Amino acid sequence: MPNNAEIAKTTIDDFREIQRYMAIAKEENATKTYIELKKKYISLKALLNVLGVNLTDIDEIKE
């Protein structure tokens, strides 16, 4: 079973990836794609908050 540090690392990696995809979707005006990515972004952000990760430096979207 993974520990909190492993979970946090995986979630941070996923969070960064989702943000990158959100930026691309926004640039391409892919509204439906952006909306779906935002759902995942919010879930990952909530999990990171529960894990106590400071999002100040890694949250580029800030929504």
Side-chain angles (χ1 to χ4, degrees):
M1 182 167 207
N3 62 34
N4 281 355
E6 292 168 335
I7 294 169
K9 186 206 176 307
T10 300
T11 306
I12 288 169
D13 291 344
D14 292 347
F15 188 69
R16 287 185 171 152
E17 182 178 29
I18 289 295
Q19 288 186 100
R20 188 173 64 246
Y21 293 148
M22 287 175 74
I24 292 167
K26 192 169 196 171
E27 182 181 311
E28 293 178 345
N29 203 26
T31 308
K32 290 180 182 179
T33 302
Y34 187 88
I35 290 168
E36 290 304 312
L37 289 167
K38 187 173 178 181
K39 292 175 186 176
K40 181 71 173 178
Y41 162 85
I42 290 169
S43 296
L44 291 169
K45 190 172 181 175
L47 178 55
L48 289 170
N49 278 320
V50 168
L51 291 169
V53 175
N54 183 345
L55 298 174
T56 304
D57 293 332
I58 64 170
D59 189 359
E60 298 171 9
I61 303 295
K62 301 193 188 327
E63 287 188 17

